[in-house]
Amino acid sequence: MSSLLLILNAGSSSLKFAVFDAAHDGPRARLSGQVEGIGTHPHLVLRNAGGAVLKERRWPDADGNVPRDQHDALGVVLEHLDDLIARTQVAGVGHRVVHGGATFAAPMHIDDALIEALARLEPLAPLHQPHNLDGIRAARAHFAGVPQVACFDTAFHRGHDFVHDTFALPRELLDAGVRRYGFHGLSYEYVADRMRTLAPAAAAGRMIVAHLGSGASMCAIRDGRSVSSTMGFTPLDGLPMGTRPGQLDPGVLLWLMRERGLDADALSDLLYRHSGLKGLSGISNDMRDLHTSTDPAAQRAIDYFVARLRREIGALSADLGGLDALVFTAGIGENDATVRSGAVRGLAFLGLAIDASANATHGATRGGRISPDGAPVAVYVVPTNEELMIARHTHRMVGCGGTR
Ligand code: ADP
């Protein structure tokens, strides 16, 4: 009987999961799915490796039962997995953890001390970290004695030079941990690795990866290593996002405190939940809604998003001293041809161009490449796979497991 790896990505109202076979040559996808709407109207979907739906369930059910938290959600996931796999086959559980702080530059085995250390980082990622830890606690309760591994979104960025790691604040604050951590590292690590196969020369050179999902950031990568990132101390900085503003003059915060009387909680709510595409458009945080809306505010929000992409491509190209490849990934990056073409508009001076028909098919027929043949900078669409990246780390940490 083969052993399995269970991968969990616990969010504020969702629990994404994946099951991999821990094969000797690396993890192989077997099942995946998610419970969305935890706390409101939960909805579970479970798919096979080909993406076909195997199970689906909605709550509240006839008895009025509703999974209320990560512990309940993991319980229902396991209940539905029980027909498909034996729980005793699970040889390791891998978790996505958004913030690993300055200390954790690689995946870590989870124990009580690590959970305590990660809980201290909750104020730095209030939308994610508490839920990540809830998922870990739930999994430890359900899988007592099974090794569990934490994989950090910040770890990929831990080798930055001082100038990309700091703010121009008194040195004492840097020492206290006020620094640029960077996020989406598991996605960048996966995409950088994938590019080694798709475009080896570019992957060994200077690359910008644009992870454009509900959260959005860009990373400058040289020879597979992160050089700089648009995200900083928290996942608020850099590009505008679904509900977060991205780069903001800190004077705005002082003004809001002094003139509008906003306290830390009100500012946090504004910055994490009501800004970005949602705040700017007044319509939606979802790029698809903005494209279909006829309200001029929707187009203005898209224009702002795209203008910021162009600016950051310029900035990160400067960090790299030139550019060999630009890669789009995550929900918007993988699916939105309009945003991709807007992002490179006017950047021919950097060697950036996009082939319109390849862009329209997201590069599907050309191995993901959407730049014209012979263009100086290769432009790619590469679907991210954070779960596979976590599975690879977990596999390496716990081994193939064998039958327990
Ligand atoms: P996350 O994992 O951060 O929640 P995703 O990577 O799934 O986010 O990206 C979610 C976002 O992707 C959605 O909010 C939506 O704006 C965008 N998106 C998804 N599909 C499309 C599409 N076909 N066109 C444009 N945007 C899309």
Side-chain angles (χ1 to χ4, degrees):
M1 198 164 52
S2 64
S3 58
L4 301 173
L5 303 171
L6 175 64
I7 305 307
L8 299 177
N9 180 355
S12 55
S13 64
S14 70
L15 175 64
K16 294 182 185 161
F17 61 93
V19 177
F20 290 80
D21 280 308
H24 282 282
D25 55 352
R28 271 191 226 131
R30 199 197 270 201
L31 300 162
S32 69
Q34 60 182 340
V35 184
E36 287 178 315
I38 298 169
T40 51
H41 301 287
H43 173 206
L44 172 133
V45 181
L46 175 57
R47 300 173 191 275
N48 68 13
V53 175
L54 299 179
K55 294 186 179 208
E56 197 168 0
R57 188 167 162 198
R58 289 176 192 277
W59 289 267
D61 59 18
D63 301 330
N65 294 323
V66 182
R68 284 173 210 290
D69 53 22
Q70 290 292 341
H71 194 276
D72 289 354
L74 182 57
V76 301
V77 167
L78 295 176
E79 200 180 292
H80 285 78
L81 283 174
D82 276 346
D83 300 339
L84 305 163
I85 62 166
R87 275 190 217 191
T88 51
Q89 280 179 278
V90 175
V93 184
H95 297 266
R96 179 184 179 203
V97 178
V98 160
H99 219 305
T103 320
F104 303 118
M108 296 286 295
H109 280 290
I110 295 173
D111 57 17
D112 292 341
L114 183 73
I115 293 177
E116 225 171 89
L118 296 178
R120 284 197 288 275
L121 299 169
E122 284 183 0
L124 301 188
L127 274 196
H128 304 93
Q129 193 86 345
H131 307 291
N132 299 160
L133 293 179
D134 283 347
I136 288 176
R137 291 187 192 101
R140 289 182 97 205
H142 281 282
F143 289 97
V146 174
Q148 314 235 352
V149 175
C151 300
F152 306 102
D153 268 323
T154 47
F156 186 61
H157 306 291
R158 288 283 40 83
H160 288 181
D161 287 347
F162 172 78
V163 294
H164 296 304
D165 214 17
T166 192
F167 300 104
L169 289 167
R171 177 66 200 231
E172 173 267 319
L173 288 173
L174 175 68
D175 297 339
V178 182
R179 55 172 67 215
R180 303 187 64 89
Y181 292 101
F183 298 87
H184 293 136
L186 294 160
S187 176
Y188 292 131
E189 200 180 355
Y190 172 80
V191 171
D193 186 63
R194 183 84 188 104
M195 284 296 285
R196 279 195 198 104
T197 307
L198 296 172
R206 301 156 299 179
M207 199 159 62
I208 294 175
V209 180
H211 177 108
L212 311 178
S214 309
S217 72
M218 278 190 202
C219 184
I221 299 174
R222 186 185 290 116
D223 193 13
R225 290 168 165 270
S226 173
V227 169
S228 61
S229 158
T230 58
M231 273 186 173
F233 180 53
T234 66
L236 282 172
D237 199 6
L239 301 173
M241 305 171 221
T243 58
R244 293 170 253 166
Q247 189 270 326
L248 188 69
D249 178 349
V252 174
L253 304 183
L254 297 175
W255 185 88
L256 287 168
M257 291 165 77
R258 291 210 176 101
E259 303 300 322
R260 293 279 179 93
L262 267 59
D263 63 9
D265 287 343
L267 283 176
S268 177
D269 201 41
L270 175 76
L271 297 174
Y272 278 100
R273 296 193 168 83
H274 300 292
S275 300
L277 296 175
K278 181 180 170 196
L280 202 48
S281 68
I283 296 167
S284 171
N285 61 332
D286 192 311
M287 189 58 92
R288 288 165 291 197
D289 296 339
L290 300 185
H291 281 304
T292 53
S293 170
T294 54
D295 188 327
Q299 189 55 50
R300 283 202 297 270
I302 298 172
D303 290 346
Y304 181 82
F305 184 76
V306 166
R308 287 281 150 170
L309 294 179
R310 283 200 291 269
R311 171 185 274 232
E312 292 298 341
I313 290 170
L316 296 188
S317 297
D319 288 346
L320 290 167
L323 195 58
D324 300 303
L326 169 66
V327 187
F328 291 97
T329 193
I332 300 171
E334 291 167 27
N335 297 299
D336 195 328
T338 317
V339 163
R340 289 194 299 258
S341 60
V344 304
R345 195 169 303 130
L347 299 186
F349 72 95
L350 287 173
L352 280 163
I354 277 181
D355 178 285
S357 65
N359 192 30
T361 59
H362 315 302
T365 55
R366 303 161 97 221
R369 186 166 60 85
I370 57 170
S371 47
D373 292 341
V377 179
V379 184
Y380 274 79
V381 176
V382 174
T384 194
N385 195 338
E386 289 153 306
E387 284 74 24
L388 177 56
M389 203 64 237
I390 298 168
R392 285 181 187 158
H393 286 308
T394 306
H395 192 239
R396 193 171 44 76
M397 300 278 287
V398 307
C400 292
T403 309
R404 291 182 319 118

